[in-house]
Amino acid sequence: MLFEQFTDVVPSFFGWLNQGPMTLTLFLHTLIILPMIWIYYDEKKKLEGKK
Amino acid sequence: MANENKSVWTSISFWRRSAGWVTGFATILLIWLTFDTLGQIRMGTDEELKEAVAQQKEINRVPAPTVINYHINYKMDEKRGHEVPVIGKKELFFGKEWNPQEAAELLHLGKLTSQAKNCMNCHTLLGNGAYYAPDLTKAWLDKAWQKGGPLQAMTGKNTVEEAMAEFLQHPSQYPTHARMMPDLGITADEAKGLVAFLKHMSSIDTNGFPRNFSKTVEQFKTGGTNAH
């Protein structure tokens, strides 16, 4: 299961995020990749504007 | 220019901005994780420990040094899927009950000794160190050191702490397994400190590390190590 009941002793945001094997990885990669997609299209617009 | 570069992939500013974002995000994430960890590894107080024992539930991952005055055991937590330490009834440690200051000083002496004698050169403590000798994270809970266990019997002592302290002072006299511990010149006081350090460590909730620690004794008897 991707989401399971939180069973850690000390409640923590990262503890909650790391309950499954892939959840933390997927979350962090999404957070890093999404702005890069925005940066890509922004740069593309700039390059086309220069033309 | 006929050969004008229009690809974003070869644009320097795209890579510069991406690198800036990834580095900045990672920096913030690491700072956040540091503070998140500080909260997790904060040592509890004596009051919190008393409350935890009275209510039979865990409050802190790392209990106060006075935890050496309590019986420590472990149980399999089905919900969490690993073994967790259980702090039980009061028991004497080296024949006395230690007040918060005494307990903290003893634990400090033990920590300094563990560093001075470089235990981690062979052993593992809380995930740090080597796998040449047994993992000491839960050594206090090792059945071989309990009453009737072969290690306690070998020292001729009647309690876990006295047996461990005796062994630590003269390790090369006792046959343990193929990789025998050398004599490190540990004094009687230092040995007491080290045993307190180990007892406290066994009470820390390490999310089940080392995995199935109750089984490691059998593993070492058959010549295995924790390195897997």
Side-chain angles (χ1 to χ4, degrees):
Chain A
M1 260 210 292
L2 190 61
F3 294 102
E4 281 174 33
Q5 197 192 343
F6 189 80
T7 52
D8 216 341
V9 198
V10 184
S12 142
F13 174 69
F14 291 105
W16 175 80
L17 215 51
N18 204 15
Q19 290 296 295
M22 285 296 281
T23 45
L24 187 67
T25 310
L26 288 175
F27 175 80
L28 291 179
H29 278 81
T30 308
L31 232 64
I32 288 166
I33 299 302
L34 281 181
M36 281 180 72
I37 293 170
W38 177 79
I39 293 170
Y40 177 87
Y41 284 107
D42 195 52
E43 287 294 323
K44 198 174 184 179
K45 213 164 66 186
K46 272 190 203 163
L47 280 175
E48 278 164 2
K50 266 188 209 160
K51 193 165 56 166
Chain B
M1 246 198 322
N3 203 11
E4 203 185 342
N5 173 23
K6 277 187 216 122
S7 169
V8 181
W9 300 112
T10 50
S11 124
I12 287 174
S13 69
F14 166 72
W15 290 109
R16 191 179 284 145
R17 283 174 75 187
S18 294
W21 159 250
V22 173
T23 311
F25 177 77
T27 306
I28 291 163
L29 189 70
L30 283 174
I31 293 169
W32 184 7
L33 271 169
T34 303
F35 283 99
D36 187 70
T37 305
L38 285 179
Q40 301 251 359
I41 62 173
R42 182 185 70 87
M43 190 185 258
T45 63
D46 191 36
E47 284 68 36
E48 284 170 326
L49 176 62
K50 282 177 184 152
E51 202 186 320
V53 172
Q55 296 173 0
Q56 274 305 303
K57 64 171 209 181
E58 290 164 285
I59 294 174
N60 300 93
R61 204 181 272 288
V62 186
T66 41
V67 78
I68 59 172
N69 295 318
Y70 296 86
H71 182 73
I72 297 161
N73 209 332
Y74 57 86
K75 66 159 193 256
M76 182 69 193
D77 190 322
E78 294 298 336
K79 207 167 146 197
R80 291 175 63 186
H82 53 68
E83 289 167 316
V84 291
V86 181
I87 302 166
K89 289 197 179 89
K90 281 220 168 156
E91 68 178 15
L92 296 178
F93 187 69
F94 284 108
K96 65 176 268 194
E97 184 171 340
W98 299 70
N99 70 37
Q101 201 198 332
E102 287 172 338
E105 280 168 7
L106 189 67
L107 216 63
H108 187 59
L109 173 67
K111 189 187 88 172
L112 292 183
T113 309
S114 80
Q115 291 166 344
K117 303 295 177 186
N118 203 2
C119 300
M120 282 188 194
N121 210 23
C122 298
H123 295 280
T124 297
L125 308 173
L126 293 168
N128 298 311
Y131 283 109
Y132 183 76
D135 191 312
L136 293 185
T137 311
K138 301 293 172 187
W140 175 264
L141 305 170
D142 194 328
K143 283 199 175 71
W145 286 107
Q146 316 298 320
K147 218 166 227 22
L151 290 177
Q152 187 179 120
M154 143 191 107
T155 60
K157 302 285 179 186
N158 298 317
T159 60
V160 183
E161 60 267 28
E162 279 166 355
M164 281 186 160
E166 166 61 23
F167 172 74
L168 284 169
Q169 289 170 73
H170 315 284
S172 58
Q173 285 179 18
Y174 296 103
T176 43
H177 55 74
R179 304 168 183 177
M180 270 173 66
M181 183 168 156
D183 202 322
L184 299 169
I186 296 167
T187 66
D189 280 341
E190 287 171 344
K192 260 190 191 183
L194 280 176
V195 178
F197 184 62
L198 289 176
K199 183 168 184 182
H200 176 262
M201 204 187 302
S202 75
S203 72
I204 297 173
D205 191 318
T206 52
N207 277 347
F209 178 88
R211 205 85 191 140
N212 297 321
F213 50 79
S214 64
K215 291 186 189 118
T216 49
V217 196
E218 294 305 316
Q219 225 172 31
F220 269 96
K221 262 191 222 157
T222 52
T225 69
N226 278 325
H228 52 245

